[in-house]
Amino acid sequence: MRTRTETRTRQVPHTVDGKTHLVDEAYEIHLPVPPRDWDHTVRTGVLGAACLILTGSVVWSTASIGALLDLLVIAPAAYAAAVTFDLVWISCMALEWLARYDPPRAQAPRAAGHIALGVAMAAVAMHGYAEEQLPIGITGAVVSGMAKGLWTVLLAQTTPRLSPQAMQWAQAERAELGSRLGMIPLRRELARAEGLVEAEEASLRTTPDTDPGPPEDGAEVPEGASQLPASGPMTMADAVRTAVSCGITEPNAVIRYVRKVADANAKEDSILRTLRMARRPA
């Protein structure tokens, strides 16, 4: 078994003139060296080769398609458009990799990647045809196909395989979390719409009646509290503020009062939220 030597330090007592202190002492140990991981080495080598091939494919396609488009437009615009041909199928391949644990979701980027690759290869071949060098154009187009094929095989080899049961469990978890994430903007939209409705209703109501009246049946009025107006119309927020100003802060009493003088269908959550805001110190 192969070993490697490693130098470490430890503290040992050292005495001088009868006084002892701990000092550092260096020592060596021999640690076993694990065998070389040839699988990882080969995988790294293939990944490097795939990156080089992909780079060469992008350079060739960009130069070929750019030269073809340069026949009609200026060079900067031609080569800027040419580079998108390969970037589209490369991006689709990356999206397919991200959806590797969700086969139905990976179908769309896989199909789009194949279509984009076919368009790029056809454009390279057309450049060869335009220059009366069709064999060279076809050969250049094959380079993009080989790069795509190599990356497809490489990603398939490095993707862990899940059992059908594990994949169904992952899809169920993903669906549940996706539903929770999707409800966040929906709740925000509903809250915004509710605020708009309340503002619209408030703008259509007349000035609340300020004549005092007896509190609603069953509502407990604290000692020394002012009498609550018994009739509206008034907005929900005005009704809550009126109740608080009169010393009525018990939630159920406030809810009954708001539904009596403002809106019989007022939501309890909205009333309580307005009550908390009204009771908040300025």
Side-chain angles (χ1 to χ4, degrees):
M1 181 177 60
R2 295 175 54 193
T3 60
R4 60 183 176 89
T5 302
E6 182 176 309
T7 301
R8 297 182 178 179
T9 59
R10 59 189 173 190
Q11 289 193 324
V12 296
H14 182 70
T15 304
V16 176
D17 294 335
K19 193 171 184 179
T20 302
H21 289 285
L22 294 177
V23 298
D24 292 336
E25 179 186 57
Y27 67 99
E28 294 182 348
I29 62 173
H30 299 283
L31 299 175
V33 177
R36 189 178 184 87
D37 187 355
W38 288 105
D39 290 345
H40 178 72
T41 302
V42 172
R43 189 179 297 112
T44 303
V46 173
L47 178 61
C51 291
L52 290 176
I53 294 173
L54 182 63
T55 302
S57 171
V58 172
V59 172
W60 177 274
S61 296
T62 302
S64 180
I65 301 175
L68 178 65
L69 298 178
D70 192 24
L71 298 175
L72 296 177
V73 297
I74 59 176
Y79 287 95
V83 74
T84 62
F85 280 78
D86 277 344
L87 289 182
V88 170
W89 67 261
I90 292 173
S91 300
C92 290
M93 188 169 57
L95 294 175
E96 181 183 351
W97 162 257
L98 293 177
R100 60 192 180 277
Y101 297 122
D102 191 354
R105 192 178 179 185
Q107 291 178 357
R110 183 184 300 114
H114 290 158
I115 295 174
L117 176 63
V119 172
M121 294 175 65
V124 174
M126 288 177 61
H127 175 250
Y129 176 79
E131 297 293 335
E132 297 182 354
Q133 297 290 338
L134 184 57
I136 297 177
I138 295 176
T139 303
V142 172
V143 173
S144 297
M146 294 176 64
K148 164 71 171 175
L150 177 59
W151 272 98
T152 300
V153 174
L154 177 61
L155 296 181
Q157 288 292 327
T158 56
T159 301
R161 300 296 180 183
L162 297 180
S163 65
Q165 294 79 9
M167 189 170 296
Q168 293 178 22
W169 182 91
Q171 290 176 350
E173 286 290 307
R174 188 181 294 109
E176 180 180 350
L177 294 176
S179 299
R180 292 170 60 184
L181 287 175
M183 289 300 296
I184 293 175
L186 180 58
R187 290 194 183 99
R188 188 183 298 116
E189 178 184 355
L190 294 176
R192 184 166 54 249
E194 181 180 354
L196 293 175
V197 170
E198 291 180 358
E200 182 70 18
E201 291 177 349
S203 66
L204 297 176
R205 292 193 180 102
T206 59
T207 304
D209 186 6
T210 57
D211 294 337
E216 184 178 353
D217 297 340
E220 298 181 1
V221 181
E223 183 178 356
S226 303
Q227 293 295 322
L228 289 171
S231 62
M234 63 175 64
T235 66
M236 182 187 70
D238 290 338
V240 173
R241 285 193 293 267
T242 301
V244 173
S245 64
C246 293
I248 303 301
T249 58
E250 200 276 324
N252 291 331
V254 174
I255 293 173
R256 289 193 296 269
Y257 177 69
V258 170
R259 289 178 175 174
K260 177 179 180 181
V261 302
D263 185 358
N265 297 320
K267 295 183 178 180
E268 182 176 339
D269 292 341
S270 300
I271 298 174
L272 296 180
R273 181 169 61 252
T274 307
L275 176 61
R276 288 194 296 268
M277 295 177 62
R279 295 173 62 183
R280 187 177 304 168

